[in-house]
Amino acid sequence: MPVYSGVLKYFPDALKYVSEISKAGNDQHHPEKPLHWDKDKSNDHEDALVRHLIDHSNLLVDDDGYLHLGKVAWRALAALQVYLDKRKYEKGHN
């Protein structure tokens, strides 16, 4: 599984940027808590992804100063992770 050589080495700046967005979201929604993904907070990743992509076509930067494309990437990763988690759960319960 080439996680380092096939992902981290390909997209180091993009992944660092997405991690900044992740921290900013955590600080906004859970200012007193350590970094964590509150999976109950939002379940509309695909809709939010498309909204940020549309917003990117009109204005590159969101109101909070972060690029809409970075938020698209975060939402794409979130949607994929939720899908894979669900698939793992279903395989384990068949």
Side-chain angles (χ1 to χ4, degrees):
M1 198 68 62
V3 176
Y4 173 72
S5 60
V7 178
L8 294 176
K9 284 183 74 177
Y10 287 2
F11 312 111
D13 297 326
L15 291 170
K16 285 190 264 185
Y17 194 83
V18 170
S19 74
E20 276 186 56
I21 288 172
S22 189
K23 173 133 177 37
N26 187 82
D27 293 348
Q28 176 186 352
H29 297 293
H30 303 287
E32 301 296 321
K33 294 186 179 177
L35 185 61
H36 71 288
W37 180 10
D38 185 353
K39 292 182 181 181
D40 295 326
K41 195 75 171 173
S42 173
N43 295 308
D44 64 338
H45 301 299
E46 295 85 353
D47 286 332
L49 182 157
V50 172
R51 180 178 55 80
H52 282 295
L53 191 55
I54 291 168
D55 290 347
H56 165 75
S57 71
N58 296 314
L59 187 64
L60 299 178
V61 178
D62 203 349
D63 295 339
D64 60 5
Y66 288 98
L67 294 169
H68 285 290
L69 279 181
K71 293 180 179 188
V72 167
W74 194 96
R75 290 296 187 154
L77 289 169
L80 179 59
Q81 186 65 52
V82 167
Y83 173 81
L84 293 173
D85 285 349
K86 182 179 177 190
R87 201 168 88 180
K88 271 192 252 180
Y89 176 81
E90 288 171 354
K91 282 184 178 182
H93 286 81
N94 285 336

